[in-house]
Amino acid sequence: AQSVAQPEDQVNVAEGNPLTVKCTYSVSGNPYLFWYVQYPNRGLQFLLKYITGDNLVKGSYGFEAEFNKSQTSFHLKKPSALVSDSALYFCAVRRSTDSWGKLQFGAGTQVVVTP
Amino acid sequence: KAGVTQTPRYLIKTRGQQVTLSCSPISGHRSVSWYQQTPGQGLQFLFEYFSETQRNKGNFPGRFSGRQFSNSRSEMNVSTLELGDSALYLCASSLAPQGDGYTFGSGTRLTVV
C-alpha cells in the first residue's frame, strides 16, 4: 500500500521569503508524485508532477519540487512567497505500475503567507 | 478548453434521502475518478471509471455507487444518507487510467441535515 506524510499541519512564512512544504511517501516500486493546491471552497488545482527523468520538477506559479528517492521525499518549494500563495497544499502519490490511477493524498499543509 | 464540470455546486439533503452528483470530464478524457474530502478524513478515493466500467473502488459502503456513460460523463449516487456523508465530493478526469495528469473539478458540497 502507498502512503503520504505531510508532517506540518501549517507553514507560516513572510511574503518574499522562501517557502517549503514537506512531503514524504511510501510506495512499492517507482512512484508518480503530484502536488495540488486548494483554495477555500474550490477543487484541487494541479501544480506539478514527477513521473520520471530530472529530479527537479518545475511547475505552475513559480513552484518547484525535488524528487529524492533515497529519502523518499518530494518537497515543494518556492523561492519567494506571495500572500496569494496562502492556501491548502496536498501531496499525492500513486504507483507507476498500477493499471488504474488511484491517488493517495497526504493530509494537507495549510500555508499562511503574511504581508 | 472547458475544465471538469461538477453539478450541482451545493446540495442540502435530509438523512435517509439519496443524492446523485454529476461530473463532466474534459473533452477527450475517458477516465473519471471520485474523491470525498472531509476535515477529519481528508481526501479519500471513492472509485474510478473508464470505458463505462468501474476499475477501482475505495473503502466505502455499498451506499456509494457510480456509473459512467458512453460520453465519459459520470454520476455518483449515495443512498440512505447519513450525517457523516456531509463532505466535498471531487471528481477528477484524465486521458487514461495510467495517465500522469489528473484535472479536478470544483466539487459538490453536500450537507446532510
Side-chain angles (χ1 to χ4, degrees), chain B residues 99-113:
Chain B
D100 56 4
Y102 300 84
T103 303
F104 282 80
S106 295
T108 294
R109 171 74 63 184
L110 172 65
T111 302
V112 182
V113 298

Side-chain angles (χ1 to χ4, degrees), chain A residues 98-110:
Chain A
D98 278 349
S99 297
W100 308 106
K102 169 184 174 180
L103 287 175
Q104 183 70 45
F105 284 90
T109 298
Q110 184 69 48

